[in-house]
Amino acid sequence: MAKKFKILVTGANGQLGQCIQRVSGHLEHELYYFSSSELDITNKSSVDEICKKINPDFIINAAAYTQVDKAEDEEERAFAVNHIGVRNLTDYCKQLNCGLIHISTDYVFDGEKHSPYIETDEVNPQTVYGRSKLAGEVEILDAKLSKFAVLRTSWLYSAYGHNFPKTMLKFANDRDSLKVVNDQHGSPTSAHDLAEAILKMIPQLTSENSGIYHFSNGGITTWFGFAKALFEQRGVEIELIPVTSEEFPAKAKRPKYSKLENVSVAECFDLEIENWQNALDKTEFS
Ligand SMILES: NC(=O)c1ccc[n+]([C@@H]2O[C@H](COP(=O)([O-])OP(=O)(O)OC[C@H]3O[C@@H](n4cnc5c(N)ncnc54)[C@H](OP(=O)(O)O)[C@@H]3O)[C@@H](O)[C@H]2O)c1
């Protein structure tokens, strides 16, 4: 019989948190979900108190400060959540020998590569958000937990929360044409697929295979290609105009290229990772 784990999920109302709730229903594990108001990961005593009460085998940290542009003006807050919050969870996990699954980002890289980023590539974040997420990664690696996975992902979307395809579909309701950036390359990733992968990885995690992994759906595209596929799949008629990043200035610098190579996680945990177009096709946006 498969082993049953107690799993505590932080950031339960975020995109990934909600996808984990959605996909875990049929599993034997006991899952305990905490939204930001129920468990603020920046509050160490609250982290210790709640975690000790639940006594989980694993924590999935789906909590994060994710507002990339706003982070440029809110550095302290971004680091409080993405660095100190992760340290609080890591300290607990180390003390009580609890496993930790943490989610990181393609923004730890500078986007200057021209082939898929592998786990050992040099990091060089260009934004406050990227630096704060890297600081969280470093906390976990330094702690040398007996069971952990840092999963870097990219271009996350789902039926929940705010994300690119939902914004595109909303715009398409009241516009005839849309300009979309066509010179940034990456892999759209279904938060539903990431949630399923995390839950498959947990029973297989050992001290030998713990580490950093890249998880994104297969293939590569641009934001323009992503929008085009989205509208084609859903039969939305709209004129799409490809533009450069310079025509869409943003406060935080976007990586030009951030495809994450997912072979290592797929092989190590026996995951079948879907192509981004198929994953998108399966997603229902409300
Ligand atoms: N979205 C992307 O495109 C993307 C790309 C690459 C990597 N990632 C990473 O993937 C992970 C999941 O992202 P997501 O898109 O699901 O993010 P999300 O939808 O923004 O959800 C993050 C959740 O964290 C919660 N949170 C914020 N501060 C907290 C705190 N101090 N204590 C506890 N919870 C807190 C938020 O609650 P409130 O809403 O109440 O603040 C929110 O529910 C994150 O680690 C993110 O960095 C995301």
Side-chain angles (χ1 to χ4, degrees):
M1 210 174 82
K3 190 164 186 279
K4 192 171 144 183
F5 292 110
K6 267 194 197 178
I7 302 169
L8 186 154
V9 182
T10 65
N13 286 348
Q15 287 199 83
L16 177 62
Q18 293 196 64
C19 287
I20 295 170
Q21 300 196 44
R22 184 87 188 263
V23 305
S24 63
H26 66 286
L27 297 174
E28 286 292 298
H29 308 308
E30 280 174 40
L31 283 110
Y32 298 84
Y33 296 99
F34 290 89
S35 67
S36 58
S37 56
E38 293 161 335
L39 173 55
D40 175 355
I41 63 167
T42 67
N43 184 334
K44 186 168 174 55
S45 55
S46 177
V47 167
D48 287 342
E49 188 192 325
I50 289 174
C51 291
K52 278 183 183 148
K53 202 157 126 198
I54 304 288
N55 190 23
D57 301 298
F58 283 91
I59 293 174
I60 303 174
N61 182 30
Y65 181 107
T66 56
Q67 298 182 71
V68 175
D69 289 318
K70 214 167 161 196
E72 296 296 311
D73 296 322
E74 292 190 352
E75 183 160 359
E76 205 176 317
R77 182 72 199 150
F79 271 82
V81 181
N82 294 342
H83 179 205
I84 307 305
V86 175
R87 177 192 289 169
N88 292 339
L89 295 171
T90 306
D91 284 352
Y92 170 83
C93 290
K94 178 124 184 135
Q95 231 183 55
L96 277 289
N97 199 24
C98 174
L100 178 63
I101 313 290
H102 173 72
I103 319 305
S104 193
T105 171
D106 51 337
Y107 276 69
V108 298
F109 297 117
D110 59 20
E112 296 300 324
K113 216 181 158 191
H114 302 286
S115 59
Y117 280 99
I118 59 169
E119 286 80 352
T120 48
D121 276 330
E122 197 183 326
V123 289
N124 184 22
Q126 300 294 299
T127 61
V128 169
Y129 170 71
R131 287 196 294 278
S132 69
K133 293 293 292 184
L134 179 60
E137 289 190 2
V138 171
E139 284 293 338
I140 297 172
L141 292 182
D142 285 353
K144 301 193 171 33
L145 301 176
S146 57
K147 286 183 187 179
F148 74 94
V150 172
L151 280 168
R152 293 184 184 136
T153 190
S154 62
W155 297 25
L156 211 57
Y157 66 87
S158 69
Y160 312 106
H162 302 286
N163 55 59
F164 178 79
K166 284 181 78 178
T167 305
M168 290 293 108
L169 290 169
K170 202 162 87 202
F171 282 159
N173 280 333
D174 46 31
R175 298 187 193 183
D176 298 326
S177 68
L178 266 178
K179 288 183 179 175
V180 189
V181 170
N182 198 28
D183 60 0
Q184 294 167 20
H185 294 79
S187 301
T189 300
S190 153
H192 174 277
D193 289 8
L194 175 59
E196 282 196 327
I198 289 170
L199 292 166
K200 277 187 194 146
M201 287 172 72
I202 283 179
Q204 302 181 59
L205 259 184
T206 64
S207 55
E208 281 75 39
N209 63 21
S210 288
I212 294 182
Y213 291 96
H214 288 177
F215 183 95
S216 59
N217 281 119
I220 182 167
T221 188
T222 64
W223 294 107
F224 175 83
F226 190 4
K228 189 163 178 283
L230 173 76
F231 291 137
E232 281 174 4
Q233 286 176 358
R234 281 154 179 83
V236 176
E237 295 211 359
I238 186 163
E239 186 195 3
L240 277 180
I241 304 160
V243 295
T244 63
S245 303
E246 284 68 39
E247 287 175 75
F248 253 98
K251 187 127 195 168
K253 191 177 171 197
R254 268 37 180 187
K256 284 271 181 205
Y257 181 97
S258 67
K259 164 86 193 146
L260 301 173
E261 180 57 78
N262 61 21
V263 168
S264 176
V265 77
E267 282 182 2
C268 194
F269 297 96
D270 201 19
L271 304 175
E272 279 181 28
I273 304 180
E274 199 130 45
N275 188 283
W276 72 266
Q277 290 99 327
N278 294 343
L280 180 63
D281 202 20
K282 282 191 196 160
T283 307
E284 282 177 26
F285 297 100
S286 44

